[in-house]
Amino acid sequence: QVRLVESGGGLVQPGGSLRLSCAASGNIVKFTGMGWHRQAPGNQRELVAFIDFNDKANYGGSVKGRFTISKGNAKNTVILQMNGLNPEDTGVYYCYLADLARVTWGAGTQVTVSS
């Protein structure tokens, strides 16, 4: 089993910044990558960012240039730095880890962008 622990969500004003963290533990079978999806009420879950085992990052179109994904100092951790937040970024942000055995999802952390 793989366990993911997310942190860093909250309420922020438009134009502000938040930093999300995700730490994975457990039986990880050949790490492939980690990333974030998000889901707003009434919308489908969408890719935010993903970073693979070679540190190559991919971003969803709406966050390019504003969000940055990176690996943390601890093994199997990922950081999502979100700048220039706007109300359309509001939603539940889900961390996930992909390895050869499965894709594991975290419970999600709420991000609300509002004045």
Side-chain angles (χ1 to χ4, degrees), residues 21-73:
S21 300
C22 179
S25 60
N27 186 24
I28 297 169
V29 181
K30 195 167 178 66
F31 176 89
T32 301
M34 290 180 74
W36 297 86
H37 274 55
R38 69 185 181 190
Q39 188 167 19
N43 290 354
Q44 289 186 328
R45 194 174 292 193
E46 63 175 354
L47 170 70
V48 177
F50 178 80
I51 186 166
D52 70 14
F53 64 96
N54 279 330
D55 293 342
K56 180 180 178 182
N58 288 292
Y59 296 94
S62 63
V63 309
K64 282 182 180 178
R66 299 187 297 124
F67 292 10
T68 302
I69 190 169
S70 60
K71 292 178 181 174
N73 292 329

Side-chain angles (χ1 to χ4, degrees), residues 59-115:
Y59 296 94
S62 63
V63 309
K64 282 182 180 178
R66 299 187 297 124
F67 292 10
T68 302
I69 190 169
S70 60
K71 292 178 181 174
N73 292 329
K75 190 177 181 181
N76 298 326
T77 63
V78 67
I79 307 295
L80 183 68
Q81 179 65 42
M82 305 187 293
N83 298 328
L85 286 160
N86 58 61
E88 289 70 38
D89 295 314
T90 295
V92 179
Y93 283 66
Y94 297 93
C95 175
Y96 65 104
L97 180 146
D99 65 7
L100 286 187
R102 68 188 73 82
V103 176
T104 303
W105 293 88
T109 184
Q110 177 70 42
V111 171
T112 303
V113 185
S114 175
S115 55

